[in-house]
Amino acid sequence: MYHHLRTSLAFVFLFTLFTNAHADGIVSKVVSSPLSVVGAVQGERTGINIYLQNETAPGVTYMDPEVIGYGIAPAGRLEVELNNGFMRDSKRKLDSTELRDAAIILVTGTPQQGLLGKKAGYKLAEGGTPYTFIVTPTKPEGMPADKLMSGAPGAKRDPIRQRGIKVIHVGLKSAFFNKGASGHVRVRLYDGSGKVTHEGSGQIDFLGKPVPQIYPTNLADGRRNHNWQRIASGETLGHAAGSVPLTLMLFEKPGKTSSRQGIIGAGVLSTQQLKAMKFKLPKELARYTGGLIVQDTDANGRMDPTVDRIIGGVIGSAPKGAKGQEARSLIRDGVATLSRPTAAFEAGPGKRFGGAVMQVEFTAGNKPGLYRPTFALLRDASDPMSGDGSSYTYTIVVR
C-alpha cells in the first residue's frame, strides 16, 4: 500500500454503493472511504474517495494498471474543492503531508497504494476558500505521471505497476463534516501558465444512517495491488504463481460504543459449494449468482447457510458463455479461511481503523475476457428483503 511508514499506518480504500451518477469530466464517481464506517453518513466526519477517469479509459477501466493516471505539470497545480454538502472543521488544517495528519492523499488505484507527499514530491495548502485543497509539485520537473509509483513494499512485486494519480482521498484526518443530503466536489488540473487543462465534478449521496460495510483492501500480501490481476483460464487467484487472493475489509454496522468493529468469522461459499450442500437459494437472494457470504455464528470454523448467518453474497459477471468461474473463501492447508481482525494482518492499521479482513480465491472461467464478481453485504442481515447496503466489484483479466 503506502511505502515504508514510520508510524506503521496503512491506508485502505473502498468502492461502495454509496455513489451517484452525477459526475462529469475527469471525475468518474465519488465514494465512501474505508477508514470509517460512517465516512458517507449524514452528520459524521467526511471520509470520501474521488475516482478519476479520462476519455480513453472511462469509469472503472481507468483503474487498470496498464492505464497511466494523471500527473501535475511543472509549476502546475491540482485543486480539489468541496462545496455544497460539507462543513469545514476550522481546527484541522489542510496542509499536512504527514500520513497521520493528512486531510488529503493522492493515490494510484484501488485497492490502491498511496503517493505520500515527500516521496512523490508535492506539498499541500489551503486554497482561496477553506474548502479547497491545492496540491503543487516540489520539484522543477513537476510530477510526471509515468514516474508516479507508490513506494509500498508490495508494489514492487506487482506484475504491472500502477502509475499516476487515479484516486484522491479526502479524510484520513478529516477536516470536514457531511452536512446535507449530498456532497459535491470539483477537481481541476492547471498547467504551469495557470490554464485549466482537465476538470470534472461529482456528487455523493449521504446515508441517513450507517450500514455494514465491505471494502477492498491490500493490507494483506505485503500491500500488493489485488485488483485487475491477470491469469489464464482455469487458474486460481491466491494459488497461481505471482497472484494474490481477492481481499476485502468488513465492518459491522456501528452501534453506540464503536464504529470500528469488524465482522469476524465470515467467508464465501460459491454456487458450486452450495449446490454440493444441496442448499437452495431463497428467492429474495436470487441476485447472488456467484455464492453467499456467510458468518460462522456457532464458532465451529465452518460455514453452513442453514445454521449460520447469511450476511451477503456474490453477484457474478463473466464473458458470455463462460463456465467454471468460482469465488470462494481462500483455502489454506485444505481449510477455508474466515475473516480475522485487521490487526492479524497489519497491527498498526488494525489498532487504528479496526475492521476484519476476508480473503477470497477466484478461479477463472473457460472464456477469455473480464470477470467482475461483486461482493455485497445485506443492509440488514436479519432481513433478507432489506437489499444491499454496501458492495465492491473486483476485476480479473483472463487471458
Side-chain angles (χ1 to χ4, degrees):
M1 194 177 295
Y2 293 121
H3 54 70
H4 296 288
L5 305 179
R6 288 173 295 175
T7 57
S8 74
L9 292 175
F11 206 38
V12 231
F13 294 93
L14 57 70
F15 193 152
T16 70
L17 287 180
F18 309 140
T19 65
N20 192 285
H22 300 104
D24 60 55
I26 66 170
V27 176
S28 169
K29 59 181 65 183
V30 185
V31 301
S32 175
S33 108
L35 300 183
S36 170
V37 188
V38 295
V41 176
Q42 292 178 12
E44 300 288 348
R45 283 198 178 271
T46 302
I48 59 172
N49 275 11
I50 304 167
Y51 283 74
L52 305 181
Q53 63 181 355
N54 63 26
E55 291 182 356
T56 59
V60 69
T61 58
Y62 193 66
M63 298 303 160
D64 186 339
E66 289 190 342
V67 175
I68 299 176
Y70 289 100
I72 302 179
R77 69 185 187 275
L78 167 68
E79 288 188 358
V80 182
E81 180 182 358
L82 280 65
N83 40 52
N84 298 336
F86 298 100
M87 184 178 74
R88 173 68 193 280
D89 180 354
S90 60
K91 296 179 180 179
R92 295 191 174 180
K93 298 180 179 181
L94 306 185
D95 60 359
S96 176
T97 57
E98 294 296 327
L99 184 59
R100 182 174 290 277
D101 297 317
I104 186 172
I105 291 285
L106 305 180
V107 197
T108 61
T110 174
Q112 68 281 358
Q113 299 136 344
L115 298 165
L116 296 185
K118 290 183 180 179
K119 180 71 174 180
Y122 66 86
K123 61 182 179 179
L124 300 172
E126 184 177 300
T129 76
Y131 290 80
T132 304
F133 296 92
I134 297 180
V135 184
T136 54
T138 57
K139 301 175 182 179
E141 65 270 25
M143 300 172 65
D146 61 348
K147 294 183 180 179
L148 284 178
M149 293 183 287
S150 175
K156 297 179 181 179
R157 301 199 304 273
D158 289 337
I160 306 173
R161 293 290 299 272
Q162 284 278 18
R163 291 175 289 171
I165 303 165
K166 296 189 175 183
V167 177
I168 301 166
H169 171 75
V170 179
L172 182 57
K173 187 169 184 180
S174 183
F176 298 91
F177 290 95
N178 304 324
K179 291 294 183 182
S182 61
H184 303 258
V185 304
R186 180 164 288 277
V187 177
R188 295 177 287 266
L189 269 169
Y190 294 80
D191 64 16
S193 67
K195 178 184 177 181
V196 176
T197 57
H198 302 88
E199 63 180 326
S201 62
Q203 171 182 310
I204 180 169
D205 293 336
F206 297 132
L207 292 171
K209 57 183 180 179
V211 297
Q213 291 285 358
I214 186 166
Y215 303 137
T217 180
N218 58 1
L219 287 176
D221 306 300
R223 303 175 193 170
R224 286 271 307 275
N225 176 20
H226 294 59
N227 207 1
W228 286 88
Q229 294 185 73
R230 272 77 171 161
I231 54 174
S233 294
E235 289 188 325
T236 301
L237 291 180
H239 297 283
S243 74
V244 290
L246 307 179
T247 309
L248 300 122
M249 201 170 191
L250 307 175
F251 285 91
E252 292 276 12
K253 176 181 176 180
K256 295 181 179 179
T257 58
S258 173
S259 61
R260 301 187 301 117
Q261 178 64 43
I263 300 175
I264 308 299
V268 173
L269 287 171
S270 68
T271 51
Q272 292 92 327
Q273 290 175 302
L274 292 171
K275 184 177 180 179
M277 299 169 69
K278 298 182 179 180
F279 179 81
K280 187 176 181 180
L281 205 65
K283 291 183 179 180
E284 58 267 28
L285 302 180
R287 64 188 178 280
Y288 295 147
T289 56
L292 294 176
I293 302 176
V294 178
Q295 185 179 21
D296 172 29
T297 52
D298 60 8
N300 66 355
R302 297 189 299 273
M303 294 174 287
D304 183 345
T306 66
V307 176
D308 298 318
R309 184 169 66 150
I310 298 172
I311 62 174
V314 183
I315 302 169
S317 176
K320 186 176 181 180
K323 297 180 180 179
Q325 60 271 20
E326 180 180 16
R328 66 177 188 174
S329 285
L330 178 67
I331 303 298
R332 287 285 189 246
D333 299 323
V335 178
T337 62
L338 302 180
S339 60
R340 295 180 290 156
T342 304
F345 297 86
E346 289 267 6
K351 182 178 180 180
R352 182 174 183 183
F353 305 133
V357 173
M358 179 177 74
Q359 296 174 292
V360 179
E361 60 182 52
F362 182 85
T363 300
N366 64 341
K367 299 286 186 180
L370 301 181
Y371 290 72
R372 286 178 165 151
T374 296
F375 299 87
L377 291 184
L378 289 167
R379 185 174 294 271
D380 181 355
S382 66
D383 179 9
M385 298 293 290
S386 64
D388 299 329
S390 174
S391 73
Y392 183 78
T393 301
Y394 267 104
T395 299
I396 301 101
V397 181
V398 176
R399 302 184 294 268

mmCIF file of all heavy atoms in Angstrom, residues 6-38:
data_model
loop_
_atom_site.group_PDB
_atom_site.id
_atom_site.type_symbol
_atom_site.label_atom_id
_atom_site.label_comp_id
_atom_site.label_asym_id
_atom_site.label_seq_id
_atom_site.Cartn_x
_atom_site.Cartn_y
_atom_site.Cartn_z
ATOM 1 N N ARG A 6 6.935 5.108 9.125
ATOM 2 C CA ARG A 6 7.487 5.067 10.484
ATOM 3 C C ARG A 6 6.388 4.843 11.501
ATOM 4 O O ARG A 6 6.593 4.259 12.557
ATOM 5 C CB ARG A 6 8.216 6.381 10.780
ATOM 6 C CG ARG A 6 9.529 6.536 10.023
ATOM 7 C CD ARG A 6 10.109 7.894 10.223
ATOM 8 N NE ARG A 6 9.246 8.916 9.650
ATOM 9 C CZ ARG A 6 9.482 10.219 9.769
ATOM 10 N NH1 ARG A 6 10.537 10.646 10.422
ATOM 11 N NH2 ARG A 6 8.671 11.089 9.218
ATOM 12 N N THR A 7 5.210 5.298 11.174
ATOM 13 C CA THR A 7 4.087 5.128 12.098
ATOM 14 C C THR A 7 3.423 3.763 11.954
ATOM 15 O O THR A 7 2.513 3.449 12.694
ATOM 16 C CB THR A 7 3.027 6.214 11.828
ATOM 17 O OG1 THR A 7 2.634 6.120 10.469
ATOM 18 C CG2 THR A 7 3.580 7.578 12.123
ATOM 19 N N SER A 8 3.862 2.998 10.972
ATOM 20 C CA SER A 8 3.309 1.674 10.637
ATOM 21 C C SER A 8 1.830 1.721 10.286
ATOM 22 O O SER A 8 1.133 0.724 10.324
ATOM 23 C CB SER A 8 3.518 0.673 11.788
ATOM 24 O OG SER A 8 2.647 0.918 12.853
ATOM 25 N N LEU A 9 1.353 2.918 9.901
ATOM 26 C CA LEU A 9 -0.036 3.043 9.471
ATOM 27 C C LEU A 9 -0.179 2.530 8.050
ATOM 28 O O LEU A 9 0.761 2.499 7.283
ATOM 29 C CB LEU A 9 -0.474 4.509 9.517
ATOM 30 C CG LEU A 9 -0.578 5.131 10.906
ATOM 31 C CD1 LEU A 9 -0.912 6.604 10.771
ATOM 32 C CD2 LEU A 9 -1.624 4.436 11.725
ATOM 33 N N ALA A 10 -1.370 2.131 7.693
ATOM 34 C CA ALA A 10 -1.629 1.776 6.310
ATOM 35 C C ALA A 10 -2.898 2.479 5.880
ATOM 36 O O ALA A 10 -3.605 3.042 6.694
ATOM 37 C CB ALA A 10 -1.762 0.266 6.168
ATOM 38 N N PHE A 11 -3.146 2.396 4.605
ATOM 39 C CA PHE A 11 -4.258 3.135 4.057
ATOM 40 C C PHE A 11 -5.069 2.219 3.163
ATOM 41 O O PHE A 11 -4.503 1.534 2.348
ATOM 42 C CB PHE A 11 -3.669 4.276 3.244
ATOM 43 C CG PHE A 11 -4.570 5.443 3.111
ATOM 44 C CD1 PHE A 11 -5.354 5.836 4.156
ATOM 45 C CD2 PHE A 11 -4.603 6.143 1.914
ATOM 46 C CE1 PHE A 11 -6.152 6.943 4.024
ATOM 47 C CE2 PHE A 11 -5.402 7.242 1.787
ATOM 48 C CZ PHE A 11 -6.174 7.637 2.834
ATOM 49 N N VAL A 12 -6.363 2.220 3.309
ATOM 50 C CA VAL A 12 -7.207 1.339 2.538
ATOM 51 C C VAL A 12 -8.342 2.155 1.932
ATOM 52 O O VAL A 12 -8.731 3.152 2.476
ATOM 53 C CB VAL A 12 -7.865 0.278 3.428
ATOM 54 C CG1 VAL A 12 -7.669 -1.099 2.908
ATOM 55 C CG2 VAL A 12 -7.415 0.393 4.829
ATOM 56 N N PHE A 13 -8.886 1.691 0.844
ATOM 57 C CA PHE A 13 -9.937 2.441 0.200
ATOM 58 C C PHE A 13 -11.053 1.527 -0.292
ATOM 59 O O PHE A 13 -10.869 0.357 -0.458
ATOM 60 C CB PHE A 13 -9.370 3.216 -0.984
ATOM 61 C CG PHE A 13 -8.427 4.262 -0.547
ATOM 62 C CD1 PHE A 13 -7.088 3.989 -0.482
ATOM 63 C CD2 PHE A 13 -8.875 5.490 -0.174
ATOM 64 C CE1 PHE A 13 -6.214 4.936 -0.070
ATOM 65 C CE2 PHE A 13 -8.004 6.451 0.239
ATOM 66 C CZ PHE A 13 -6.672 6.175 0.287
ATOM 67 N N LEU A 14 -12.169 2.138 -0.619
ATOM 68 C CA LEU A 14 -13.307 1.365 -0.990
ATOM 69 C C LEU A 14 -13.945 1.769 -2.272
ATOM 70 O O LEU A 14 -13.625 2.744 -2.871
ATOM 71 C CB LEU A 14 -14.380 1.542 0.059
ATOM 72 C CG LEU A 14 -14.800 2.966 0.298
ATOM 73 C CD1 LEU A 14 -15.553 3.506 -0.876
ATOM 74 C CD2 LEU A 14 -15.569 3.035 1.515
ATOM 75 N N PHE A 15 -14.851 0.953 -2.654
ATOM 76 C CA PHE A 15 -15.693 1.260 -3.782
ATOM 77 C C PHE A 15 -17.052 0.693 -3.407
ATOM 78 O O PHE A 15 -17.274 -0.467 -3.567
ATOM 79 C CB PHE A 15 -15.143 0.550 -4.997
ATOM 80 C CG PHE A 15 -15.702 1.003 -6.286
ATOM 81 C CD1 PHE A 15 -14.935 0.892 -7.423
ATOM 82 C CD2 PHE A 15 -16.952 1.520 -6.383
ATOM 83 C CE1 PHE A 15 -15.435 1.286 -8.632
ATOM 84 C CE2 PHE A 15 -17.448 1.923 -7.577
ATOM 85 C CZ PHE A 15 -16.699 1.810 -8.715
ATOM 86 N N THR A 16 -17.967 1.526 -2.880
ATOM 87 C CA THR A 16 -19.231 1.026 -2.378
ATOM 88 C C THR A 16 -20.405 1.468 -3.231
ATOM 89 O O THR A 16 -20.251 2.142 -4.239
ATOM 90 C CB THR A 16 -19.485 1.523 -0.935
ATOM 91 O OG1 THR A 16 -19.745 2.920 -0.990
ATOM 92 C CG2 THR A 16 -18.285 1.259 -0.064
ATOM 93 N N LEU A 17 -21.588 1.114 -2.768
ATOM 94 C CA LEU A 17 -22.793 1.535 -3.463
ATOM 95 C C LEU A 17 -23.139 2.985 -3.184
ATOM 96 O O LEU A 17 -24.056 3.531 -3.784
ATOM 97 C CB LEU A 17 -23.983 0.651 -3.026
ATOM 98 C CG LEU A 17 -23.994 -0.776 -3.550
ATOM 99 C CD1 LEU A 17 -25.214 -1.493 -3.022
ATOM 100 C CD2 LEU A 17 -23.978 -0.801 -5.057
ATOM 101 N N PHE A 18 -22.442 3.623 -2.262
ATOM 102 C CA PHE A 18 -22.793 4.982 -1.897
ATOM 103 C C PHE A 18 -22.254 5.960 -2.926
ATOM 104 O O PHE A 18 -21.426 6.808 -2.651
ATOM 105 C CB PHE A 18 -22.249 5.331 -0.512
ATOM 106 C CG PHE A 18 -22.624 4.310 0.508
ATOM 107 C CD1 PHE A 18 -21.722 3.922 1.474
ATOM 108 C CD2 PHE A 18 -23.864 3.713 0.486
ATOM 109 C CE1 PHE A 18 -22.064 2.969 2.404
ATOM 110 C CE2 PHE A 18 -24.207 2.756 1.421
ATOM 111 C CZ PHE A 18 -23.307 2.389 2.376
ATOM 112 N N THR A 19 -22.695 5.835 -4.147
ATOM 113 C CA THR A 19 -22.244 6.685 -5.224
ATOM 114 C C THR A 19 -23.443 7.274 -5.922
ATOM 115 O O THR A 19 -24.580 6.870 -5.701
ATOM 116 C CB THR A 19 -21.401 5.902 -6.232
ATOM 117 O OG1 THR A 19 -22.234 4.927 -6.842
ATOM 118 C CG2 THR A 19 -20.225 5.211 -5.549
ATOM 119 N N ASN A 20 -23.179 8.250 -6.781
ATOM 120 C CA ASN A 20 -24.257 8.851 -7.526
ATOM 121 C C ASN A 20 -23.777 9.036 -8.951
ATOM 122 O O ASN A 20 -22.607 9.282 -9.192
ATOM 123 C CB ASN A 20 -24.654 10.184 -6.889
ATOM 124 C CG ASN A 20 -25.951 10.718 -7.454
ATOM 125 O OD1 ASN A 20 -25.992 11.227 -8.560
ATOM 126 N ND2 ASN A 20 -27.015 10.599 -6.674
ATOM 127 N N ALA A 21 -24.685 8.943 -9.894
ATOM 128 C CA ALA A 21 -24.304 9.053 -11.295
ATOM 129 C C ALA A 21 -23.932 10.473 -11.682
ATOM 130 O O ALA A 21 -23.483 10.703 -12.799
ATOM 131 C CB ALA A 21 -25.454 8.556 -12.171
ATOM 132 N N HIS A 22 -24.133 11.447 -10.799
ATOM 133 C CA HIS A 22 -23.816 12.830 -11.109
ATOM 134 C C HIS A 22 -22.311 13.056 -11.067
ATOM 135 O O HIS A 22 -21.740 13.410 -10.050
ATOM 136 C CB HIS A 22 -24.530 13.772 -10.127
ATOM 137 C CG HIS A 22 -26.024 13.635 -10.158
ATOM 138 N ND1 HIS A 22 -26.723 12.970 -9.173
ATOM 139 C CD2 HIS A 22 -26.941 14.042 -11.053
ATOM 140 C CE1 HIS A 22 -28.019 12.992 -9.448
ATOM 141 N NE2 HIS A 22 -28.176 13.634 -10.596
ATOM 142 N N ALA A 23 -21.642 12.821 -12.166
ATOM 143 C CA ALA A 23 -20.204 13.037 -12.269
ATOM 144 C C ALA A 23 -19.904 13.378 -13.722
ATOM 145 O O ALA A 23 -20.612 12.960 -14.633
ATOM 146 C CB ALA A 23 -19.420 11.808 -11.828
ATOM 147 N N ASP A 24 -18.855 14.174 -13.936
ATOM 148 C CA ASP A 24 -18.506 14.535 -15.305
ATOM 149 C C ASP A 24 -17.023 14.842 -15.401
ATOM 150 O O ASP A 24 -16.314 14.930 -14.399
ATOM 151 C CB ASP A 24 -19.329 15.747 -15.776
ATOM 152 C CG ASP A 24 -19.100 16.993 -14.926
ATOM 153 O OD1 ASP A 24 -17.934 17.407 -14.765
ATOM 154 O OD2 ASP A 24 -20.074 17.564 -14.423
ATOM 155 N N GLY A 25 -16.560 15.001 -16.647
ATOM 156 C CA GLY A 25 -15.163 15.343 -16.865
ATOM 157 C C GLY A 25 -14.229 14.266 -16.366
ATOM 158 O O GLY A 25 -14.438 13.080 -16.596
ATOM 159 N N ILE A 26 -13.203 14.680 -15.623
ATOM 160 C CA ILE A 26 -12.207 13.709 -15.148
ATOM 161 C C ILE A 26 -12.641 13.003 -13.873
ATOM 162 O O ILE A 26 -11.927 12.135 -13.378
ATOM 163 C CB ILE A 26 -10.834 14.375 -14.940
ATOM 164 C CG1 ILE A 26 -10.874 15.394 -13.798
ATOM 165 C CG2 ILE A 26 -10.347 15.015 -16.214
ATOM 166 C CD1 ILE A 26 -9.489 15.894 -13.412
ATOM 167 N N VAL A 27 -13.806 13.354 -13.332
ATOM 168 C CA VAL A 27 -14.328 12.672 -12.142
ATOM 169 C C VAL A 27 -15.264 11.552 -12.579
ATOM 170 O O VAL A 27 -16.268 11.793 -13.247
ATOM 171 C CB VAL A 27 -15.055 13.646 -11.200
ATOM 172 C CG1 VAL A 27 -15.678 12.889 -10.019
ATOM 173 C CG2 VAL A 27 -14.095 14.711 -10.687
ATOM 174 N N SER A 28 -14.923 10.330 -12.198
ATOM 175 C CA SER A 28 -15.755 9.180 -12.520
ATOM 176 C C SER A 28 -16.898 9.029 -11.524
ATOM 177 O O SER A 28 -18.058 8.860 -11.898
ATOM 178 C CB SER A 28 -14.898 7.912 -12.521
ATOM 179 O OG SER A 28 -15.688 6.755 -12.579
ATOM 180 N N LYS A 29 -16.568 9.092 -10.252
ATOM 181 C CA LYS A 29 -17.573 8.994 -9.188
ATOM 182 C C LYS A 29 -16.929 9.362 -7.867
ATOM 183 O O LYS A 29 -15.706 9.439 -7.736
ATOM 184 C CB LYS A 29 -18.208 7.620 -9.108
ATOM 185 C CG LYS A 29 -17.242 6.478 -8.850
ATOM 186 C CD LYS A 29 -18.003 5.158 -8.814
ATOM 187 C CE LYS A 29 -18.605 4.815 -10.133
ATOM 188 N NZ LYS A 29 -19.412 3.584 -10.103
ATOM 189 N N VAL A 30 -17.776 9.590 -6.874
ATOM 190 C CA VAL A 30 -17.326 9.896 -5.516
ATOM 191 C C VAL A 30 -17.912 8.831 -4.610
ATOM 192 O O VAL A 30 -19.115 8.557 -4.653
ATOM 193 C CB VAL A 30 -17.779 11.299 -5.058
ATOM 194 C CG1 VAL A 30 -17.186 11.628 -3.688
ATOM 195 C CG2 VAL A 30 -17.388 12.360 -6.080
ATOM 196 N N VAL A 31 -17.063 8.184 -3.808
ATOM 197 C CA VAL A 31 -17.496 7.059 -2.988
ATOM 198 C C VAL A 31 -17.042 7.256 -1.552
ATOM 199 O O VAL A 31 -16.221 8.120 -1.250
ATOM 200 C CB VAL A 31 -16.935 5.733 -3.537
ATOM 201 C CG1 VAL A 31 -17.402 5.503 -4.960
ATOM 202 C CG2 VAL A 31 -15.411 5.735 -3.483
ATOM 203 N N SER A 32 -17.554 6.428 -0.674
ATOM 204 C CA SER A 32 -17.148 6.456 0.727
ATOM 205 C C SER A 32 -15.767 5.825 0.868
ATOM 206 O O SER A 32 -15.321 5.085 0.006
ATOM 207 C CB SER A 32 -18.172 5.694 1.570
ATOM 208 O OG SER A 32 -17.775 5.597 2.909
ATOM 209 N N SER A 33 -15.067 6.148 1.941
ATOM 210 C CA SER A 33 -13.758 5.549 2.191
ATOM 211 C C SER A 33 -13.819 4.591 3.366
ATOM 212 O O SER A 33 -14.689 4.724 4.215
ATOM 213 C CB SER A 33 -12.731 6.645 2.460
ATOM 214 O OG SER A 33 -12.364 6.687 3.814
ATOM 215 N N PRO A 34 -12.911 3.609 3.436
ATOM 216 C CA PRO A 34 -12.994 2.581 4.460
ATOM 217 C C PRO A 34 -12.330 2.924 5.785
ATOM 218 O O PRO A 34 -12.209 2.062 6.634
ATOM 219 C CB PRO A 34 -12.280 1.405 3.813
ATOM 220 C CG PRO A 34 -11.217 2.052 3.017
ATOM 221 C CD PRO A 34 -11.821 3.322 2.490
ATOM 222 N N LEU A 35 -11.881 4.138 5.926
ATOM 223 C CA LEU A 35 -11.244 4.482 7.194
ATOM 224 C C LEU A 35 -12.267 4.581 8.313
ATOM 225 O O LEU A 35 -11.915 4.514 9.482
ATOM 226 C CB LEU A 35 -10.481 5.801 7.066
ATOM 227 C CG LEU A 35 -9.375 5.790 6.006
ATOM 228 C CD1 LEU A 35 -8.652 7.108 6.007
ATOM 229 C CD2 LEU A 35 -8.415 4.642 6.246
ATOM 230 N N SER A 36 -13.521 4.772 7.945
ATOM 231 C CA SER A 36 -14.604 4.823 8.925
ATOM 232 C C SER A 36 -15.852 4.256 8.286
ATOM 233 O O SER A 36 -16.103 4.467 7.099
ATOM 234 C CB SER A 36 -14.862 6.266 9.382
ATOM 235 O OG SER A 36 -16.061 6.332 10.140
ATOM 236 N N VAL A 37 -16.633 3.553 9.055
ATOM 237 C CA VAL A 37 -17.903 3.038 8.556
ATOM 238 C C VAL A 37 -18.848 4.179 8.221
ATOM 239 O O VAL A 37 -19.778 4.025 7.446
ATOM 240 C CB VAL A 37 -18.558 2.119 9.606
ATOM 241 C CG1 VAL A 37 -19.781 1.422 9.036
ATOM 242 C CG2 VAL A 37 -17.577 1.097 10.112
ATOM 243 N N VAL A 38 -18.623 5.340 8.815
ATOM 244 C CA VAL A 38 -19.573 6.453 8.694
ATOM 245 C C VAL A 38 -19.041 7.587 7.821
ATOM 246 O O VAL A 38 -19.526 8.694 7.877
ATOM 247 C CB VAL A 38 -19.941 6.992 10.093
ATOM 248 C CG1 VAL A 38 -20.690 5.946 10.890
ATOM 249 C CG2 VAL A 38 -18.687 7.439 10.854
#
